[in-house]
């Protein structure tokens, strides 16, 4: 993904404490000089990269009749990928453009987990990112020449015209019969900028050019930004694959954490209670023969333990997937969830139909975790839960009038919840200023 910042131009907010408009400050800002330096360096660098790419490609194609052609092409592609890394670093430092590295060359397979040089060369030749780097090395030269010439000519002339009153004296002092800068010549008679009015007009033209030059430079570097981000960064398909791999890891970690929680709850809760119940029943069986009344009391106590164990198992089953959600949907299940919250909660569910079971379950547990946070941390007096559908999205919003200060970036439970939603192309937005109120909005893809 590519990002850029430090905007300037029309509509840019002036910096605090600055008395000059943005257009007048732009020629003197560091960004303009960085971008101009980028355009100046692009010409010699692109010339070298073009020569390298064309020479190696021609050499490799020419040697394809022999065994050496393929390794030479591999070296050419590897070199172009190295050039791409240099260009991304240059864009990062001068254009403030962040471009992620392209997808790596994957030469290992299940059949050959430790590939040799030939497999690596083959992977380079099959890599679309490598050929995009070659394309960049070839097509960037003509653009770099154009951008270099235009930016240099305009930039130098802008400063030269602006400062013309300071160096106009050079012409009559050190040149013969030339009182000033010559614009053109007609029938052997030249037109010179030497009168006070002409000198002042030249300076004004230089000032106008100087004000316009930053916008020209920004337009030229915008094309470079598109080239770097489009050809030297990862493809959209690769970004999507990486995103899905990350989401898969999140889902696997979440499932493993849920399994560990269920195992812990069973081991520490219902299982331990059932073991104690079995021991109590064994003692009661022995007591029934010696002391029937004591045995009966022990059986009665064991009966209470059975009820507690059943209640724990019901709570555990509800934590896995509540039966009311399967039978009646989000509305009744969220109302039952709100009834167990320590804070009064108003629930409003407006759905034309039930979403898919997986999305329904994620929505339920999202609201469940948010209500638990309200009970434990918010100090709220009231809360509301609203659920509705907007086009192809299922929307959830949980609000409370508590103390606020919730932050999904602080590594709290909200951060884990945001990761779970992101794993299914969802989104979590938290608005919780200090002092409250807190509003948490979740988006899920609608699947009917």
């Amino acid at each position: 993904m590519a990002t850029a910042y430090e905007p300037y131009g029309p509509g840019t907010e002036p910096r605090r404490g600055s008395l000059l408009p943005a257009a007048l400050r732009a020629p003197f800002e560091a960004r303009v000089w960085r971008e101009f330096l980028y355009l100046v360096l692009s010409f010699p660098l692109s010339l070298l990269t073009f020569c390298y790419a064309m020479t190696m490609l021609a050499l490799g194609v020419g040697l394809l009749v022999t065994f050496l052609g393929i390794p030479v092409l591999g070296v050419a592609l590897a070199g172009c990928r190295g050039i791409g890394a240099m260009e991304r670093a240059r864009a990062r430092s001068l254009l403030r453009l962040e471009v992620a590295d392209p997808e790596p060359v994957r030469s290992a397979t299940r059949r050959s987990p430790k590939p040799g040089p030939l497999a690596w060369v083959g992977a380079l030749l099959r890599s679309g990112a490598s050929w995009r780097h070659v394309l960049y090395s070839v097509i960037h030269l003509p653009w770099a020449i154009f951008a270099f010439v235009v930016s240099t000519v305009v930039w130098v002339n802008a400063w030269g015209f602006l400062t013309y009153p300071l160096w106009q004296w050079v012409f009559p002092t050190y040149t013969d019969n030339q009182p000033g800068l010559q614009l053109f010549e007609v029938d052997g008679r030249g037109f010179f900028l030497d009168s006070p009015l002409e000198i002042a007009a030249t300076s004004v033209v230089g000032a106008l050019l100087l004000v316009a030059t930053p916008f020209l430079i920004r337009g030229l570097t915008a094309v470079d930004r598109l080239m770097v981000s489009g050809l030297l960064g990862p493809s959209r398909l690769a970004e999507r694959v990486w995103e899905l791999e990350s989401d898969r890891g999140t889902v696997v970690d979440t499932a493993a954490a849920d399994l560990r929680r269920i195992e812990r709850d069973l081991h520490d809760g219902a299982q331990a209670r059932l073991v104690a119940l079995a021991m109590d029943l064994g003692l009661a069986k022995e007591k029934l023969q010696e002391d029937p009344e004591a045995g009966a009391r022990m059986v009665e106590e064991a009966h209470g333990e059975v009820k507690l164990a059943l209640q724990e198992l019901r709570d555990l089953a509800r934590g896995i997937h509540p039966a009311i959600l399967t039978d009646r949907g989000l509305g009744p299940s969220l109302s039952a969830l709100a009834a167990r919250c320590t804070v009064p909660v108003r629930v409003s569910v407006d759905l034309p139909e039930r979403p898919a079971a997986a999305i329904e379950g994620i929505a339920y547990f999202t609201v469940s975790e948010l209500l638990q946070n309200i009970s434990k941390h918010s100090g709220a007096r009231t809360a509301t839960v609203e659920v509705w559908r907007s086009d192809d999205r299922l929307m959830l919003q949980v609000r409370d009038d508590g103390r606020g200060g919730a932050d999904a970036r602080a590594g709290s439970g909200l951060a884990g919840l945001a990761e779970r939603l992101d794993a299914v192309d969802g989104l979590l937005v938290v608005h919780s200023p200090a002092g409250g109120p807190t509003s948490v909005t979740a988006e899920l893809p609608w699947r009917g």
Side-chain angles (χ1 to χ4, degrees):
M1 181 178 294
T3 57
Y5 45 94
E6 281 191 302
Y8 63 84
T12 304
E13 293 293 333
R15 294 177 181 173
R16 183 174 299 178
S18 177
L19 300 178
L20 291 176
L24 297 181
R25 293 197 317 268
F28 308 97
E29 290 182 345
R31 172 179 178 170
V32 179
W33 293 95
R34 286 199 312 268
E35 293 180 343
F36 179 64
L37 178 61
Y38 181 90
L39 296 176
V40 171
L41 293 176
S42 291
F43 172 52
L45 291 177
S46 62
L47 182 61
L48 294 176
T49 58
F50 176 85
C51 293
Y52 170 82
M54 294 303 297
T55 301
M56 295 299 293
L57 285 177
L59 182 62
V61 173
L63 292 176
L64 281 179
V65 295
T66 67
F67 178 74
L68 297 176
I70 293 179
V72 170
L73 285 177
V75 172
L77 294 178
C80 288
R81 289 181 73 101
I83 292 171
M86 177 194 69
E87 288 294 304
R88 287 192 299 272
R90 193 164 66 96
R92 186 181 305 114
S93 60
L94 296 178
L95 300 183
R96 297 296 190 261
L97 178 69
E98 294 290 339
V99 180
D101 293 338
E103 55 270 25
V105 179
R106 298 182 178 181
S107 55
T109 61
R110 293 182 179 180
R111 295 182 179 180
S112 57
K114 295 182 179 180
L118 289 180
W120 180 75
V121 172
L124 271 173
L125 295 175
R126 294 191 302 269
S127 172
S130 300
W131 290 106
R132 290 201 307 272
H133 283 65
V134 173
L135 180 62
Y136 175 86
S137 301
V138 173
I139 69 173
H140 189 244
L141 176 61
W143 171 253
I145 295 174
F146 173 79
F148 170 80
V149 172
V150 172
S151 61
T152 303
V153 169
V154 175
W155 191 247
V156 171
N157 281 290
W159 282 102
F161 290 165
L162 179 64
T163 59
Y164 183 61
L166 302 179
W167 56 273
Q168 186 269 340
W169 58 270
V170 173
F171 292 98
T173 304
Y174 295 103
T175 60
D176 296 331
N177 300 322
Q178 187 170 340
L181 185 66
Q182 181 177 355
L183 289 184
F184 56 87
E185 183 177 352
V186 178
D187 296 332
R189 181 182 179 183
F191 180 76
F192 301 95
L193 300 174
D194 54 350
S195 69
L197 181 60
E198 292 168 349
I199 294 174
T202 303
S203 184
V204 171
V205 172
L208 295 177
L209 279 177
L210 190 63
V211 171
T213 300
F215 300 93
L216 173 65
I217 291 177
R218 185 180 184 187
L220 295 174
T221 54
V223 178
D224 285 279
R225 285 186 169 93
L226 291 176
M227 285 188 180
V228 173
S229 59
L231 296 177
L232 302 183
S235 63
R236 293 185 178 181
L237 178 59
E239 287 184 343
R240 184 58 178 166
V241 169
W242 291 349
E243 181 181 352
L244 291 176
E245 288 179 350
S246 176
D247 292 345
R248 181 183 63 183
T250 301
V251 171
V252 171
D253 293 341
T254 301
D258 290 340
L259 287 175
R260 289 193 298 270
R261 177 182 59 82
I262 294 171
E263 180 183 8
R264 183 179 64 251
D265 292 344
L266 284 174
H267 183 271
D268 298 340
Q271 180 179 350
R273 195 174 296 277
L274 290 175
V275 170
L277 175 62
M279 296 176 61
D280 292 341
L281 288 176
L283 294 175
K285 181 179 179 181
E286 297 177 358
K287 283 287 185 179
L288 283 175
Q289 299 177 355
E290 302 175 358
D291 189 354
E293 293 183 0
R297 288 195 301 270
M298 296 180 68
V299 170
E300 184 178 357
E301 293 176 357
H303 183 257
E305 291 291 325
V306 169
K307 292 181 178 179
L308 293 176
L310 289 175
Q311 182 62 39
E312 289 184 357
L313 289 174
R314 290 193 191 98
D315 294 339
L316 182 60
R318 187 183 295 113
I320 298 173
H321 194 84
I324 188 174
L325 177 62
T326 303
D327 298 336
R328 303 179 61 185
L330 272 177
S333 61
L334 293 182
S335 297
L337 193 64
R340 296 195 298 271
C341 185
T342 58
V343 176
V345 181
R346 181 177 61 84
V347 178
S348 174
V349 178
D350 182 15
L351 296 177
E353 57 181 327
R354 294 182 62 175
I359 299 300
E360 202 172 50
I362 294 173
Y364 174 86
F365 287 109
T366 298
V367 175
S368 174
E369 186 161 344
L370 292 176
L371 290 181
Q372 288 181 17
N373 289 342
I374 291 175
S375 299
K376 296 178 181 178
H377 310 296
S378 70
R381 295 185 300 272
T382 59
T384 60
V385 176
E386 296 181 357
V387 182
W388 71 97
R389 179 182 177 181
S390 176
D391 295 331
D392 59 344
R393 308 292 285 181
L394 176 63
M395 309 295 296
L396 312 172
Q397 189 172 70
V398 179
R399 291 177 291 180
D400 67 79
D401 57 357
R403 63 177 65 95
D407 188 359
R409 298 169 298 178
S412 60
L414 290 175
L417 186 59
E419 291 180 356
R420 294 190 182 191
L421 293 179
D422 183 66
V424 293
D425 289 336
L427 180 66
L428 186 74
V429 179
V430 180
H431 179 69
S432 180
T438 297
S439 175
V440 181
T441 304
E443 291 186 20
L444 289 167
W446 178 271
R447 296 170 189 162

